[in-house]
Amino acid sequence: MRRRTHVHAFTTGRVRRDRTTTAVAVETDRGPVLVDIGPVGSVGALEVHLEAPSSDLEDVWLVVVTHNDGDPAGGLAELLEHTDAVVAAHREEAPYVAGERDPIKSGEGRYPPVDVDLGFADGVRIPTLAGPMAVVPTLGHAPGNVSLSVSESGVLLAGDALVADGEAPLSGPKPEFTPEMARALESVGKLAALEIEHTRCYHGGDVDRGSDRIREIDNERRS
């Protein structure tokens, strides 16, 4: 019943010694959809890892950027040298990705801007071989930060709404990287309402934890 084999996560870079970045490729009838890329210089890692699901960079037809930080979006310009994929981001994130505004975390520097072809709204669903992949707004870490839920496979692509690079196997957003922490914690509550078996975090990668752990995180913030 579960089709996680169509959802592939792989490390594309490292922003600190203890903080890796994780892109996800989701298979579709048209080729892979990439969810986030990695920082500048990460396309080589993408190319290697995409061979696992028997794909090439040029097969990628859609890139979904969960938010405007340089670690998930920095490699976009280089990626588009290899593919004519459609670039999609929440409409609140599009001006930052496209260079109309500097990234909110300006200390990371201005990565090469890329035009956003599709500024999506809440509730967009992307057909995939793992089941429909639904956009879930998880605001707080960034103005239009999103996660993606593949409910038929029990998989959550959490972006930066949750992390898995600390002592706990799955944790809420980190205050030092989250401009609107109260809003980000409210977004955890939104994720807690979903039925999730397996979580893939942008920082920390695969975690075999889901709804029960996310509800624990939500309950902690309410107490």
Side-chain angles (χ1 to χ4, degrees), residues 97-188:
V97 176
E100 298 169 16
R101 300 179 188 173
D102 286 334
I104 292 173
K105 301 179 184 67
S106 56
E108 298 176 354
R110 169 73 257 181
Y111 53 83
V114 168
D115 289 339
V116 175
D117 303 299
L118 176 62
F120 52 70
D122 306 348
V124 169
R125 293 162 66 89
I126 302 166
T128 82
L129 297 180
M133 183 165 64
V135 173
V136 182
T138 45
L139 313 182
H141 181 76
N145 193 88
V146 300
S147 301
L148 297 109
S149 171
V150 193
S151 59
E152 289 184 13
S153 298
V155 174
L156 173 70
L157 311 183
D160 271 22
L162 300 169
V163 297
D165 61 353
E167 294 182 3
L170 186 63
S171 303
K174 294 189 174 183
E176 62 267 37
F177 302 119
T178 306
E180 297 183 79
M181 190 63 182
R183 200 174 192 189
L185 290 174
E186 289 176 0
S187 294
V188 173

Side-chain angles (χ1 to χ4, degrees), residues 188-211:
V188 173
K190 185 178 297 186
L191 297 177
L194 304 176
E195 292 302 320
I196 300 161
E197 297 177 3
H198 193 83
T199 306
R200 289 186 163 118
C201 299
Y202 188 64
H203 294 295
D206 283 336
V207 186
D208 196 20
R209 301 291 294 273
S211 298

